[in-house]
């Protein structure tokens, strides 16, 4: 099976997550839902899976990260940034 370009896949995954959040904010907005469906369909085609959930898991695995892992890395980066900025105050 051919695998997609990692940069393009990461971009598509980010786009999916953005549309997902926008749909959660306005569930009855048909334009937002259509965009989310388009991103989900593209993820399914690229990853060779039938459902968006399976495609997202496969994409995250292929990219070497999980949603939980991304959150943990961002929290660690924020802590480091706070520690660094706090170190210069003395």
């Amino acid at each position: 099976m051919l695998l997609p370009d990692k940069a393009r896949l990461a971009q598509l995954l980010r786009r999916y997550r953005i549309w997902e959040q926008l749909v959660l904010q306005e569930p009855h907005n048909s334009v937002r839902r259509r965009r989310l469906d388009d991103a989900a369909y593209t993820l399914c085609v690229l990853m060779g899976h039938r459902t968006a959930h399976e495609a997202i898991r496969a994409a995250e695995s292929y990219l070497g990260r999980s949603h939980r892992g991304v959150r943990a890395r961002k929290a660690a980066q924020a802590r480091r940034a706070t520690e660094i900025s706090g170190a210069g105050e003395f």
Side-chain angles (χ1 to χ4, degrees), residues 19 23 29-41:
W19 284 116
V23 167
N29 185 317
S30 62
V31 173
R32 289 181 177 188
R33 183 156 305 274
R34 197 169 342 154
R35 300 289 175 137
L36 176 64
D37 289 344
D38 289 345
Y41 175 80

Side-chain angles (χ1 to χ4, degrees), residues 5-69:
D5 175 61
K6 285 189 174 189
R8 173 75 176 113
L9 183 60
Q11 178 186 32
L12 181 60
L13 196 53
R14 278 191 304 272
R15 185 181 315 149
Y16 176 87
R17 296 285 187 207
I18 289 168
W19 284 116
E20 182 180 45
Q21 290 301 313
L22 291 171
V23 167
L24 288 172
Q25 291 171 5
E26 268 188 81
H28 300 294
N29 185 317
S30 62
V31 173
R32 289 181 177 188
R33 183 156 305 274
R34 197 169 342 154
R35 300 289 175 137
L36 176 64
D37 289 344
D38 289 345
Y41 175 80
T42 305
L43 276 169
C44 288
V45 170
L46 284 176
M47 298 311 297
H49 289 279
R50 293 181 143 209
T51 68
H53 186 71
E54 291 171 347
I56 289 166
R57 276 191 287 155
E60 289 174 340
S61 176
Y62 175 62
L63 292 172
R65 63 183 184 202
S66 68
H67 190 62
R68 194 176 319 154

